[in-house]
Amino acid sequence: MSRSDLRALFRSNDRELKAVDYFADRRDEWATVVESLVRHTRRVHEAGFDVEDLETPRRNVLVFYGVGGIGKSTLSRGVAEHLVDGEARGADWTPLDPRVGRVAPVRVDLSRDSGSDFESLMLALRLAVVELGEPMPAFDLAFQRYWERNHPGEPLEEYLRRRTWFSRFPGARSLSGQMQSVLSDVAQAASLPGTTGALVGKGLRSLVRALRDRRHQVRSLAECRRLADLLEAEPDLEALSYYSHLLAWDLSRLSAKRRATLVVLLDTFEDVGDRVHRDLERLIQRVAWLMPNVLFIITGRNRLQWDDAGLEGQLDWAGADFWPLLVGGAVEEPRQHTVGYLSAEDCERYLCERLTVGSRPLMDDSARHLITANSHGLPLYLDLAVMRFLDMYRKNGRAPVASEFNLDFPALVARTFRDLTPSVRQVLRAVSLLDSFSVELAAAGAGLDHDAPALELVERPFVDLDPGAPWPYRLHNLVRDAMREADSTSEDRWSPADWRRAAQRTLDALEHEADGDRRRLVAALRQGLTLARDYGLKLGWLQDAAFRYVDDFVWEPIELPAPAPAAQASHHARTGSAAEVLASTLSAIARRQRRHRSETAEQLRGVLASGQLPESLLELPRYFLAECDRDLGNFAASLEGMRKVVDTGGRLAPTAARGLVHLARRVGRFPQVHAAAEALGVEGRRDRALGDLWWTQGNMALACSSYAVNRDEALRLGQPGEAALSQACLAFAAAFRDRPRAGEEITRAQDALGTVSIRWAEIQTKIASLVRDAGVSDDLPARAEAVVEEAREAGLTSSVAYVRFAVCLHAAVLGESAPRDEARERLHECVRGEEFAYLVELSYLMAGEEPPADLPRAEWVDERSRVRARWAAIVDDRRREAAAQRGD
């Protein structure tokens, strides 16, 4: 399959010349896909195959991996096209083996700029099977519950219509109708009140009971053994990943007439995450494991590491026992394959089909043979060679001879580089300093006062367009490296001083770009720190950008690449420089959201000990070290660190002042907290600090009001991280007194946290769910232990204490002495001296009991009797609600 190559089409006036963007076939890879499908479908149709078996090793993942520029994405697109239309590749690719039967393919580009996320991936899987013509009842029930919770008031059909990402799925218009029909049928069968609204409250409980009792009206659905459990689970992103099991079950139940093998092609898998942060990869691996009747074809730069048992904990199923065909040396399909370079035959076909005049190849045999030999099968080389061939054809009015193409890849880039005008070469050198760039950035870095050379450069085939990036253009990495080598021998090459001056110009230009939205701030900060490190530049505006980066709670990673060759040659890049240490500081601060706080604390202590940061930046590691110490329970160290930051009077002084308020609250000095919180002001998040105070006093109305004020102020100031944090706190406070409102606030917090990374707030939202269900949920203690484990993994002592307090509330509502004593004992384990002793004291006050004499007493804002009355009222109200729910 080929289409017009517009870049080549507009490079010549010759109307007989035809240029097509031709895909050089990879028939061996296609044969591997066919064999994998044959073996996969044979395995799925065996008598002993059970889609609900969660213990049998998986053999449903085919992997193609290799270096950039080798054509993996083109292969992925070609396979998807041929699975949709067997004639798409003509006679070049063999047809599917008839033993495979009907196939339903779906391809998802996982690159960071594609606009896809995990929710989109799950929707894509569901949309891929819409055309089969049958609903997916188990999945649709669970997904509708997820949708109502996470997209309240937003119809699925409207969401799909607005997101252009879904426009390529023909089933986008039919999906909502299929789901609604499932809900209507189930509502009618189980006598539920309505359709979509039936999956909450009593309607949900009625359906779950019907499934567990295997009532004849829902007998077919009840055969899905885990459906009831998934319907009861909190419908968050984690639960959504487990819904893939339901979709696999639905597919296994299709009639023979409708049956098809779902093939999921996941491209650009290297962008799923890095080798440290595997959160998204864990969700995707879970989908692959839970859908053993689906074939996954993964393409990316890196070998899939799911067979590595050392990744246990980062991934749910890690090791050769789980993925026997992903280990090195496996011979049975599907397995892992390195995507090789194009064969000589494929290169010949590419060059013949790419450029034609009068249906005949424009290149003669000798030119094609020489280009093929020099390319070593690299598609990017072929593309550059074709562009050079066209330029020479246009310039000379004839097809160039073979000797003009006797160039290896670096030589071809060098020749391409020399063919550029001096001003375009200057721009090319400048943009090689950047991961991505705009025309304006390119011109500024090159020291030009006009854009024409930059506009000419971005039209070249070795400059990729990346619309989703903060700046839209990216120089191909292979060209970038080869260009640096070519420049070292060119007549107008840059000296080390030239490179440093260009780096300084680019750094200066990035300062203006950092004033944009947060994505640009982070991108400018990352690229600016790289330049400062590589070329020994002063930090300048990077200091202010670093403080703006930590002002909100979003925490995108700040990781610097290895020093550029030109920087190494200039001897300016220095290990342990201020720029490198600042990057390390920001990276540690961001990674604490996904690591144990002790790891972050250790790294920040190393930063302070290095002596490389200027005095004006020392408060950054000092404050966040104090915050880590607080989370880890190192009260004295945290107190000392916070006081040092306050005494410095720098940018983080108001934040550290709030930190002192938090510490005072931990030891129950509530009048002191009240006075200090009032003095914090908006910059110190006064209202959030007051909300933290009021809930401890049992005054949930004031707490909710304070949190809401702080949230709204953060939204007004464009601070989504602070808004999400306040919303999580609001959900927690609301959960004590108003369960229906708490459900809404929890959902709102989950939505707000979907775009930021705040580990404490994520766990606080889960604790809010525990508080909301205290006294009314039988499985609350077990759920609480799961949240405790998550908090411990992060090193969050306050979260552990709050979970234990929620269980105490649960026991107090039940009024049973043994659970109450056990819950209180577990809470007492969180007390360190005076820290969190007030929570233990509250566990007695809410139950109308007197705390033991040896327990440190809190200093309450008003009389202790009033605090006791307010907490006792919370318990009494919850008891009445629980009794009404049980029908007592």
Side-chain angles (χ1 to χ4, degrees), residues 57-243:
R58 295 307 193 240
R59 295 173 169 84
N60 62 328
V61 178
L62 174 62
V63 181
F64 294 109
Y65 68 97
V67 299
I70 205 68
K72 300 179 298 297
S73 293
T74 308
L75 169 65
S76 178
R77 286 190 294 268
V79 170
E81 290 172 1
H82 199 54
L83 289 174
V84 171
D85 179 7
E87 302 299 322
R89 309 233 71 83
D92 293 327
W93 283 13
T94 58
L96 265 180
D97 191 302
R99 290 173 292 177
V100 172
R102 188 179 180 187
V103 174
V106 56
R107 179 179 178 274
V108 178
D109 181 1
L110 296 170
S111 62
R112 294 186 178 94
D113 62 307
S114 67
S116 62
D117 53 22
F118 184 72
E119 184 181 273
S120 299
L121 170 61
M122 292 301 296
L123 272 170
L125 299 187
R126 179 61 182 89
L127 287 165
V129 297
V130 168
E131 296 302 307
L132 299 182
E134 288 192 14
M136 303 288 139
F139 177 85
D140 290 352
L141 280 173
F143 185 81
Q144 190 65 35
R145 175 162 154 73
Y146 166 86
W147 192 262
E148 290 297 323
R149 176 65 64 86
N150 293 280
H151 296 267
E154 182 176 22
L156 176 59
E157 184 176 6
E158 177 66 17
Y159 177 84
L160 295 174
R161 187 188 64 79
R162 286 191 294 103
R163 292 278 305 274
T164 56
W165 194 85
F166 295 104
S167 61
R168 57 199 173 91
F169 293 98
R173 294 185 178 181
S174 308
L175 177 59
S176 181
Q178 280 193 4
M179 287 189 169
Q180 290 299 321
S181 68
V182 167
L183 292 168
S184 297
D185 292 344
V186 171
Q188 184 176 1
S191 301
L192 302 182
T195 55
T196 58
L199 294 183
V200 295
K202 292 183 179 180
L204 176 63
R205 290 191 291 274
S206 298
L207 175 57
V208 169
R209 281 197 298 269
L211 291 170
R212 295 196 186 282
D213 296 342
R214 298 179 65 84
R215 295 178 191 168
H216 71 276
Q217 299 98 326
V218 291
R219 181 72 53 80
S220 60
L221 274 174
E223 292 177 5
C224 182
R225 298 195 298 269
R226 298 175 180 89
L227 174 58
D229 296 301
L230 287 172
L231 287 176
E232 286 184 312
E234 186 70 22
D236 53 16
L237 209 60
E238 286 282 316
L240 179 61
S241 67
Y242 286 105
Y243 295 171

Side-chain angles (χ1 to χ4, degrees), residues 359-414:
S359 300
R360 295 178 62 83
L362 180 61
M363 293 183 182
D364 61 23
D365 291 347
S366 59
R368 292 198 307 275
H369 295 339
L370 190 58
I371 292 173
T372 295
N374 288 336
S375 74
H376 301 289
L378 182 65
L380 180 62
Y381 181 98
L382 298 177
D383 194 36
L384 286 172
V386 165
M387 290 298 106
R388 174 165 172 75
F389 191 97
L390 271 175
D391 286 341
M392 298 180 72
Y393 176 79
R394 179 190 60 190
K395 184 185 299 183
N396 301 328
R398 60 170 179 81
V401 297
S403 60
E404 296 172 273
F405 286 90
N406 193 15
L407 305 167
D408 58 17
F409 184 78
L412 177 61
V413 172

Side-chain angles (χ1 to χ4, degrees), residues 551 650-655 658 680-686 710 713 717 719:
D551 273 347
R651 291 274 294 265
L652 293 178
T655 305
R658 186 177 71 252
L680 286 176
V682 174
E683 189 178 6
R685 320 292 193 197
R686 176 194 61 206
N710 197 75
E713 178 68 13
L717 295 174
Q719 299 170 340

Side-chain angles (χ1 to χ4, degrees), residues 790-833:
E790 188 174 346
R792 282 177 173 162
E793 288 177 359
L796 297 171
T797 56
S798 64
S799 297
V800 175
Y802 294 158
V803 174
R804 298 302 187 202
F805 184 66
V807 179
C808 285
L809 175 64
H810 176 71
V813 173
L814 295 178
E816 299 172 1
S817 58
R820 184 173 63 235
D821 294 343
E822 180 183 354
R824 195 174 283 155
E825 182 179 352
R826 303 299 294 275
L827 175 58
H828 213 292
E829 295 171 0
C830 300
V831 176
R832 295 179 177 86

Side-chain angles (χ1 to χ4, degrees), residues 683-837:
E683 189 178 6
R685 320 292 193 197
R686 176 194 61 206
D687 289 295
R688 176 153 64 85
L690 286 172
D692 292 340
L693 168 68
W694 293 129
W695 81 257
T696 64
Q697 313 302 298
N699 197 330
M700 301 307 166
L702 267 180
C704 290
S705 175
S706 297
Y707 286 136
V709 168
N710 197 75
R711 177 202 61 199
D712 295 343
E713 178 68 13
L715 289 173
R716 186 184 68 81
L717 295 174
Q719 299 170 340
E722 175 62 29
L725 183 57
S726 298
Q727 181 60 42
C729 293
L730 172 56
F732 174 75
F736 285 101
R737 289 303 299 261
D738 191 340
R739 295 188 70 241
R741 179 188 176 187
E744 298 172 2
E745 301 296 359
I746 290 170
T747 299
R748 190 169 181 177
Q750 291 168 338
D751 290 342
L753 289 166
T755 57
V756 297
S757 179
I758 312 175
R759 190 71 174 274
W760 185 89
E762 292 167 0
I763 295 175
Q764 188 75 346
T765 303
K766 294 180 181 181
I767 299 172
S769 296
L770 296 175
V771 172
R772 177 196 60 190
D773 297 339
V776 298
S777 176
D778 295 336
D779 65 345
L780 188 136
R783 288 166 51 197
E785 288 306 312
V787 182
V788 164
E789 186 61 29
E790 188 174 346
R792 282 177 173 162
E793 288 177 359
L796 297 171
T797 56
S798 64
S799 297
V800 175
Y802 294 158
V803 174
R804 298 302 187 202
F805 184 66
V807 179
C808 285
L809 175 64
H810 176 71
V813 173
L814 295 178
E816 299 172 1
S817 58
R820 184 173 63 235
D821 294 343
E822 180 183 354
R824 195 174 283 155
E825 182 179 352
R826 303 299 294 275
L827 175 58
H828 213 292
E829 295 171 0
C830 300
V831 176
R832 295 179 177 86
E834 292 181 294
E835 262 194 290
F836 301 122

Side-chain angles (χ1 to χ4, degrees), residues 668-684:
R669 302 290 177 260
F670 297 121
Q672 177 184 339
V673 170
H674 190 200
E678 290 287 359
L680 286 176
V682 174
E683 189 178 6

Side-chain angles (χ1 to χ4, degrees), residues 12-33:
S12 172
N13 292 326
D14 190 341
R15 298 298 298 167
E16 292 188 24
L17 171 66
K18 290 187 178 180
V20 296
D21 190 3
Y22 180 78
F23 174 65
D25 296 305
R26 289 187 175 272
R27 285 175 287 181
D28 290 344
E29 284 80 1
W30 169 247
T32 299
V33 172

Side-chain angles (χ1 to χ4, degrees), residues 253-529:
R253 307 281 291 186
L254 289 174
S255 62
K257 180 180 179 181
R258 303 286 190 183
R259 188 174 300 154
T261 299
L262 178 60
V263 179
V264 180
L265 299 102
L266 303 177
D267 191 26
T268 327
F269 203 78
E270 68 270 14
D271 275 9
V272 163
D274 55 35
R275 295 315 191 203
V276 175
H277 304 121
R278 295 181 182 268
D279 297 341
L280 177 56
E281 184 178 5
R282 178 171 54 84
L283 296 177
I284 293 176
Q285 189 214 47
R286 185 179 296 159
V287 171
W289 181 269
L290 295 177
M291 304 188 79
N293 54 345
V294 174
L295 179 65
F296 291 82
I297 303 177
I298 294 176
T299 47
R301 294 192 178 186
N302 307 313
R303 181 183 179 278
L304 210 59
Q305 294 182 309
W306 296 356
D307 60 317
D308 183 357
L311 295 179
E312 185 176 355
Q314 294 186 63
L315 300 175
D316 292 346
W317 294 274
D321 291 341
F322 297 106
W323 308 94
L325 298 187
L326 296 184
V327 300
V331 295
E332 183 184 336
E333 299 296 350
R335 56 191 174 94
Q336 304 214 55
H337 297 263
T338 302
V339 180
Y341 296 92
L342 294 173
S343 67
E345 182 182 355
D346 282 342
C347 291
E348 282 282 318
R349 183 179 290 107
Y350 174 91
L351 295 172
C352 283
E353 299 287 342
R354 181 72 186 273
L355 299 175
T356 60
V357 174
S359 300
R360 295 178 62 83
L362 180 61
M363 293 183 182
D364 61 23
D365 291 347
S366 59
R368 292 198 307 275
H369 295 339
L370 190 58
I371 292 173
T372 295
N374 288 336
S375 74
H376 301 289
L378 182 65
L380 180 62
Y381 181 98
L382 298 177
D383 194 36
L384 286 172
V386 165
M387 290 298 106
R388 174 165 172 75
F389 191 97
L390 271 175
D391 286 341
M392 298 180 72
Y393 176 79
R394 179 190 60 190
K395 184 185 299 183
N396 301 328
R398 60 170 179 81
V401 297
S403 60
E404 296 172 273
F405 286 90
N406 193 15
L407 305 167
D408 58 17
F409 184 78
L412 177 61
V413 172
R415 179 62 60 87
T416 302
F417 183 74
R418 285 196 292 271
D419 287 346
L420 301 174
T421 64
S423 56
V424 176
R425 286 202 299 272
Q426 190 166 337
V427 174
L428 179 57
R429 291 186 182 102
V431 300
S432 72
L433 295 168
L434 295 167
D435 295 330
S436 60
F437 62 93
S438 63
V439 169
E440 294 76 15
L441 260 180
L448 302 177
D449 59 2
H450 57 292
D451 293 339
L455 290 169
E456 182 178 344
L457 176 69
V458 298
E459 294 176 355
R460 296 284 170 167
F462 49 79
V463 176
D464 297 329
L465 180 63
D466 187 3
W471 302 286
Y473 300 107
R474 184 186 301 273
L475 193 62
H476 196 286
N477 287 338
L478 292 175
V479 175
R480 190 178 181 181
D481 295 341
M483 187 281 300
R484 292 269 180 87
E485 181 181 333
D487 185 52
S488 65
T489 59
S490 62
E491 295 178 356
D492 60 342
R493 63 185 178 275
W494 278 2
S495 69
D498 290 328
W499 281 105
R500 190 170 189 274
R501 281 190 287 268
Q504 185 66 64
R505 288 194 300 267
T506 306
L507 182 62
D508 293 342
L510 283 169
E511 179 179 5
H512 305 292
E513 300 289 343
D515 291 335
D517 59 21
R518 184 168 180 88
R519 289 176 68 248
R520 288 205 172 194
L521 167 67
V522 174
L525 186 59
R526 186 182 295 120
Q527 296 199 130
L529 284 170

